[in-house]
C-alpha cells in the first residue's frame, strides 16, 4: 500500500520532484532512498501566511511496491455512422460533450455550428482585434469550441458533484490537456492549448461516424403538434430529427428572438454586468503574496473579491492572471469585453470582470420586450459603450480611482485590449444605480485588498456576457422543453451552466436523457 501524505511545502519543493521526495521522506520518517515514486493527487497554494506555501496531498510508493503509473484513456467509442441521428445545435463545450456522450451511447450526433473551425476562426479574431470588424458568425463567442476556445480555460465549477467534474477533466486529459488539471485546485488550460484539444474532440466525433458541420446556422425549428421535427438552416435546407439538443450559448440572441416569435416559452433571467479591470500583474502578485517579487516558483497570482453593496453582490468574475482583455462582441455596433490567458499566464497584466448582480426589476425600462427585457438591457449598454468610445471596437476606459471620483481620466495608458481604448466617464455607460454600486464597491475592495484601488488599474466597459439573460425552461426530469417534446435546452445559453465545466456536464446530461427517452420508446 502506498503511504498517504498531506502537508505544506515551499513552492520550490512543489515544483521539484527530488526536493518533494526528500520532504515526503522526512515527513513520513523514512529514507528518501526507500521511496520509488511520489504521486501528487491534489495541490493548492496558500497565500495567507507571510511566505506562500503549497498544500500537497498524495501517495508515496515504496521501492518494493508495484507502482503502475495512472493513465487516462479515451472511452471505447462505437461507430455510429448508421445509428439514430440526434441534432446538436452549437459546438461549444455543451454541444461537443453532448456529441461525445451520444456516441458513447450508440447515437449519431449531427453537430451544427454557425461559426468556423478553430483555424478559420483565428482570422476573424484578428479582424476584430486589428480592424474592428465583427463577423456575426465567427468571433470570440461563436465558432468551434464555442466561447471556451479562446479563453483562459479555467476549469473550476461550483458544482458539488465531484464525480461529474472529474469525468470532464479526465476527458480533457484524454484529449491532450496536461494531467496537472486533475491535481490543481484551480486548473486551467490556456488559449494556446485549447484549440488543439477542441479539434481532437471534433476529429473523434467524425471518426466515429458523427457529423460536424461548420458555417451552418440554424434559423428555424420545425415543430408539429408540439413535437420537434427538425431544424431549418440559413441556406433553407432542412435537417430532420425528432431529438434536438439546443446548446447555442448565451450570445445567440437570434435564437432567443426566434423562440419568442414562435411563442415557445422562454423567461427573462437575472445575470451580472460590470467592467473588466486590468492591473499590472506585478502589483497583484505583491498584494496576494505579500512580497516584492514573486520569484521563480510561484504562478502569477489570481485574486477573488466579493462585497455586498446596497443589497447586491459585486464580485470578480473570470479572473485571468497574466492575461489579455479580448473584444467579444458578436454583432457590429456593440462593445463586449472578456479575458483570456495563455497556459503560462505570462503576460504582464492581470484582468478580471468586476460585476454586479442584476435583478429582474432592473429590466423594467425594457418591459415591452417581455422575456427578452434582460437581453435588451444588456444590448443597450453594449451599444452605448460603442457610441461613447467612437463607434469602433475601442472600449470606453477609465482609471479606477478616477471612476470612483466621477473624474474623466486625463490619459489612458496602452492596455492589453488590442483594439485600443477611449477615455470616457464610465458613469455614462451604465445606468446610475449600477455606476453608484461599482464606485462604492471598488472603494470597499481597496480597503480589504490594500493596493487594489489604484489609478494604475484601468477599467474597460462593459463586461456584459457573464451568463445568459434568458432561461429556456425544461422539465426537471426529462430535460425536455416544457412545451416542445424532443427539444433539449442545454448549457449556458439555456440557463443551466456558467462556464466550460458546467456546460460540458450539462451537455452530457442532455445526451443521457435523449438516450433514455429513445430506449423507453423502443422497449
Ligand atoms: P457556447 O460556448 O457559447 O457555445 C455555443 C455555440 O453555439 C457557439 O459556438 C455558437 O457559435 C453556436 N451557435 C449559436 N447560435 C447558433 C445557431 N443559430 N446555429 C448554429 N450554431 C449556433 N468559462 C470558464 O469556465 N473558464 C474560463 O476561463 C472562461 N473564459 C472565457 C473567456 C472568454 C473570452 C469567453 C467569451 C468566455 C469564457 N468562459 C470561460 C465562459 C465559457 O466559455 C462558457 O461558459 C461556455 O463556453 C458555455 O458553453 P456552451 O456550450 O453552453 O455555449
Amino acid at each position: 500500500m502506498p503511504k498517504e501524505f498531506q502537508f505544506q511545502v515551499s513552492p520550490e519543493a512543489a515544483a521539484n520532484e527530488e526536493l518533494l521526495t526528500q520532504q515526503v521522506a522526512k515527513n513520513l520518517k523514512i529514507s528518501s532512498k526507500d521511496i520509488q515514486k511520489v504521486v501528487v493527487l491534489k495541490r493548492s497554494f496558500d497565500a495567507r501566511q507571510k511566505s506562500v506555501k503549497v498544500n500537497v496531498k498524495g501517495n508515496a510508493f515504496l521501492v518494493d511496491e508495484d507502482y503502475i503509473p495512472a493513465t487516462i484513456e479515451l472511452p471505447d467509442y462505437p461507430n455510429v455512422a448508421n445509428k439514430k441521428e440526434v441534432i446538436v445545435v452549437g459546438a461549444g463545450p455543451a454541444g461537443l460533450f453532448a456529441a461525445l456522450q451520444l456516441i458513447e451511447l450508440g447515437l449519431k450526433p449531427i453537430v451544427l455550428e454557425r461559426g468556423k473551425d478553430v483555424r478559420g476562426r483565428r482570422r476573424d479574431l484578428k479582424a476584430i482585434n486589428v480592424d474592428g470588424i465583427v463577423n456575426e458568425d465567427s468571433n470570440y463567442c461563436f465558432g468551434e469550441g464555442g466561447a471556451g476556445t479562446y479563453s483562459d480555460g479555467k476549469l473550476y465549477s461550483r458544482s458539488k458533484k465531484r464525480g461529474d467534474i472529474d469525468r470532464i477533466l479526465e476527458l480533457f486529459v484524454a484529449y491532450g490537456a496536461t494531467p496537472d488539471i486533475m491535481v490543481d485546485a484551480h486548473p486551467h488550460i490556456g488559449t494556446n492549448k485549447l484549440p488543439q484539444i477542441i479539434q481532437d474532440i471534433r476529429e473523434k466525433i467524425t471518426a466515429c461516424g458523427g457529423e460536424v458541420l461548420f458555417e451552418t446556422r440554424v434559423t428555424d425549428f420545425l415543430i408539429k403538434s408540439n413535437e420537434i421535427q427538425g431544424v431549418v438552416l440559413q441556406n433553407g435546407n432542412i435537417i430532420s430529427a425528432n431529438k434536438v439538443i439546443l446548446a447555442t450559448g448565451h450570445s445567440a440572441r437570434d435564437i432567443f428572438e426566434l423562440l419568442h416569435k414562435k411563442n415557445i416559452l422562454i423567461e427573462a433571467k437575472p445575470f451580472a454586468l460590470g467592467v473588466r479591470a486590468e492591473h499590472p500583474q506585478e502589483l497583484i502578485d505583491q498584494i496576494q503574496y505579500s512580497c516584492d517579487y514573486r520569484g521563480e516558483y510561484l504562478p502569477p497570482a489570481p485574486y477573488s473579491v466579493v462585497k455586498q453593496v446596497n443589497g447586491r453582490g459585486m464580485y470578480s468574475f473570470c479572473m485571468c492572471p497574466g492575461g489579455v482583455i479580448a473584444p467579444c462582441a458578436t454583432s457590429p455596433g456593440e462593445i463586449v469585453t472578456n479575458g483570456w490567458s495563455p497556459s503560462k499566464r505570462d503576460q504582464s497584466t492581470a484582468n478580471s470582470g468586476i460585476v454586479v448582480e442584476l435583478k429582474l426589476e432592473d429590466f423594467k425600462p425594457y418591459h415591452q420586450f417581455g422575456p427578452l427585457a434582460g437581453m435588451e438591457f444588456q444590448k443597450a449598454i453594449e451599444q452605448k459603450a460603442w457610441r461613447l468610445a467612437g463607434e469602433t471596437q475601442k472600449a470606453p476606459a477609465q482609471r479606477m480611482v478616477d471612476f470612483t471620483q466621477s473624474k474623466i481620466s486625463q490619459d489612458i495608458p496602452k492596455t492589453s485590449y488590442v483594439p485600443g481604448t477611449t477615455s470616457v466617464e464610465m458613469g455614462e455607460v451604465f445606468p446610475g444605480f449600477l455606476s453608484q454600486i461599482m464606485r462604492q464597491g471598488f472603494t470597499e475592495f481597496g480597503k480589504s485588498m490594500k493596493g487594489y484601488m489604484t489609478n494604475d488599474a484601468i477599467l474597460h466597459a462593459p463586461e456584459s456576457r457573464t451568463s445568459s439573460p434568458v432561461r429556456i425552461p425544461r422539465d426537471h426530469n426529462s430535460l425536455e422543453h416544457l412545451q416542445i417534446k424532443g427539444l433539449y435546452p442545454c448549457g449556458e445559453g439555456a440557463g443551466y451552466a456558467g462556464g466550460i465545466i458546467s456546460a460540458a456536464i450539462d451537455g452530457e446530461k442532455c445526451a443521457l436523457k435523449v438516450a433514455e427517452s429513445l430506449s423507453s420508446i423502443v422497449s
Side-chain angles (χ1 to χ4, degrees), residues 89-95 112-115 121 137 140-156 216-219 247-252 254-255 318 320 326 328 338-340 490-493 497-501 503:
V89 192
L112 309 175
E113 168 56 53
R114 71 192 290 168
R121 215 176 150 181
D137 289 308
Y140 276 96
C141 294
F142 295 161
E144 186 174 20
T149 308
Y150 295 96
S151 76
D152 183 47
K154 279 177 282 296
L155 298 178
Y156 18 111
T216 303
R217 194 201 301 173
V218 168
T219 52
T248 42
H250 59 26
S251 292
D254 42 3
I255 288 290
C318 189
C320 299
C328 294
N338 206 311
W340 61 266
C490 179
E492 186 160 35
I500 295 168
I501 290 284

Side-chain angles (χ1 to χ4, degrees), residues 96-135:
L96 289 177
F97 280 81
L100 289 175
Q101 180 70 273
L102 288 169
I103 294 173
E104 267 195 75
L105 295 164
L107 298 166
K108 175 179 175 177
I110 302 183
V111 183
L112 309 175
E113 168 56 53
R114 71 192 290 168
K116 299 179 186 170
D117 65 11
V118 281
R119 241 169 237 265
R121 215 176 150 181
R122 274 205 188 106
R123 280 190 289 278
D124 299 308
L125 300 188
K126 184 164 176 245
I128 190 169
N129 273 294
V130 177
D131 308 314
I133 297 168
V134 184
N135 180 327

Side-chain angles (χ1 to χ4, degrees), residues 330-348:
T330 47
S331 292
E334 64 187 25
I335 303 291
V336 178
T337 63
N338 206 311
W340 61 266
S341 306
S343 56
K344 288 193 176 146
R345 289 180 164 168
D346 54 2
Q347 306 298 297
S348 62

